[in-house]
Amino acid sequence: MKRIGYFLSCEEYSPEQLIEQARLAQAAGFDALWISDHFHPWTDAQGESPFVWSMIGAISQVCDLPITTAVTCPTVRIHPAIIAQAAATSALLTGGRFTLGVGSGEALNEHILGDVWPHADVRLDMLEEAVGLIRELWTDEVVSHEGPYYTVDTARIYSVPDSPPPIYVSAFGPKALELASRIGDGFITTQPDAESVKKFRKAKGAKAPTQAGFKVAWGKNRDAAIDAAFGIWPNAGVPGELSQVLPSPKHFEQAAELVTREKFAENGAFGPDAREHVQAFEPFVDAGFDDIYVANMGPDYREMIKAYGTDVLPELRRKRSPKKASAAKDEKK
């Protein structure tokens, strides 16, 4: 584990709260930021969805942490040429500390203009063409492109960084992972998936970067934290491909009726026990991820970030320090 990051959830917090969280995360000692890119929240209870590109611009002026979109869909709702311009501007505003995280998206956000929501194989083909077009537009050249899904006519992005941002690709399943391994500079997921990390690095090299993120809920006690989180994020327990195909928050609320409180509480960490929060990182550390990001669910984000700064982050870094790792290896021998 190289970096411990804070995950800004645009679905749950207002623009002002997200800016506050970014500032608090930097002060607490987090190394980097993830930020979600949504048009809708997953449920009405989450209740927010500010425009991610405005948020990145604002955050870049009050916080120096690197920022990754987790993740942007550059295929349907917004044309990849516009994503290329937005990402280039973000890279400039952050002084080169921006990573474009991309994925094949969810109907929840992408159906809003009335476009047909393609099946998974087509979405992956669209993503591959979009990423190629984005990279071409970052060359500071005039680009004309006629592909299966996108057309660009004599377009040039004038404000581009000297070095283009890296593009990390989200992947769930073998086809998406194969695509990520071909076109991505890094791999993103929300699962402690050691096998995918292994396959990605086999394809891209032993030092190929990987990122993962998960959610916790801070609170005055464990039950209160579970109740607050379950009331806002029951969709976190919705299984399989439903997250990619359900088109509205109401549909997610209906699907989440099948998720029990007990099942929901099996994943993540809840309450004020720093040890439980440290332990929640272990599956991702053991899977070999370089960067691990943690989001808070519920109202107590200030307390969560403060406690992470004083108790959780120091313990995680102590556990993963080279000296400790070496001692552990010697002990096993």
Side-chain angles (χ1 to χ4, degrees):
M1 182 170 55
K2 296 176 181 177
R3 298 192 301 188
I4 305 168
Y6 186 80
F7 186 179
L8 299 166
S9 294
C10 288
E11 306 95 307
E12 183 180 354
Y13 300 108
S14 70
E16 295 82 5
Q17 289 174 319
L18 293 168
I19 292 170
E20 180 189 17
Q21 289 178 22
R23 297 177 69 171
L24 291 173
Q26 178 167 300
F30 282 93
D31 300 313
L33 299 171
W34 259 13
I35 187 166
S36 56
D37 180 356
H38 273 244
F39 187 89
H40 288 139
W42 299 100
T43 67
D44 284 347
Q46 291 166 12
E48 295 285 351
S49 197
F51 189 48
V52 70
W53 302 106
S54 298
M55 293 309 312
I56 291 170
I59 289 167
S60 73
Q61 302 306 293
V62 300
C63 174
D64 295 328
L65 295 181
I67 304 175
T68 300
T69 51
V71 292
T72 289
C73 176
T75 59
V76 178
R77 171 173 44 112
I78 303 179
H79 192 283
I82 308 303
I83 296 296
Q85 184 186 27
T89 300
S90 297
L92 291 169
L93 286 170
T94 58
R97 296 183 299 274
F98 174 74
T99 297
L100 177 61
V102 299
S104 59
E106 301 96 11
L108 174 72
N109 301 303
E110 305 305 319
H111 82 285
I112 59 166
L113 301 178
D115 299 275
V116 172
W117 184 235
H119 64 75
D121 287 349
V122 172
R123 298 201 304 268
L124 291 175
D125 288 343
M126 295 173 74
L127 181 60
E128 182 168 10
E129 183 180 346
V131 168
L133 180 55
I134 289 168
R135 293 191 194 278
E136 190 175 1
L137 285 162
W138 285 342
T139 62
D140 204 22
E141 301 291 334
V142 176
V143 175
S144 292
H145 172 91
E146 291 188 15
Y149 304 105
Y150 305 107
T151 298
V152 168
D153 182 19
T154 57
R156 177 185 173 190
I157 298 176
Y158 280 80
S159 298
V160 293
D162 292 335
S163 298
I167 298 178
Y168 289 11
V169 179
S170 172
F172 300 92
K175 290 183 179 179
L177 183 62
E178 189 276 330
L179 178 64
S181 299
R182 282 194 292 107
I183 70 172
D185 300 310
F187 164 56
I188 288 180
T189 187
T190 57
Q191 303 296 325
D193 188 348
E195 188 62 26
S196 290
V197 170
K198 181 179 177 181
K199 289 180 179 178
F200 182 76
R201 289 189 174 138
K202 182 178 180 181
K204 303 293 288 189
K207 295 184 179 180
T210 58
Q211 296 184 347
F214 67 102
K215 292 181 172 63
V216 301
W218 200 265
K220 62 182 179 181
N221 59 62
R222 197 171 193 277
D223 283 339
I226 293 171
D227 288 341
F230 185 58
I232 300 170
W233 285 90
N235 61 286
V238 173
E241 295 183 24
L242 286 176
S243 293
Q244 281 74 55
V245 299
L246 295 179
S248 75
K250 290 298 184 186
H251 289 100
F252 276 94
E253 290 164 9
Q254 292 165 10
E257 291 178 5
L258 302 174
V259 180
T260 65
R261 181 183 182 277
E262 292 71 25
K263 187 68 176 177
F264 176 85
E266 290 178 2
N267 297 308
F270 302 93
D273 187 343
R275 293 171 298 177
E276 184 174 343
H277 288 262
V278 169
Q279 290 169 0
F281 280 77
E282 290 178 359
F284 296 92
V285 173
D286 293 342
F289 286 95
D290 297 307
D291 299 351
I292 304 172
Y293 294 79
V294 58
N296 185 69
M297 298 179 286
D300 297 322
Y301 63 83
R302 296 184 187 92
E303 293 80 357
M304 178 268 197
I305 294 173
K306 181 179 179 180
Y308 266 62
T310 57
D311 300 321
V312 178
L313 299 183
E315 178 62 13
L316 286 168
R317 290 175 178 135
R318 184 192 69 79
K319 288 167 68 73
R320 303 308 300 176
S321 69
K323 189 174 181 180
K324 290 286 180 181
S326 177
K329 188 178 290 187
D330 292 341
E331 189 175 318
K332 286 183 179 180
K333 290 179 181 178

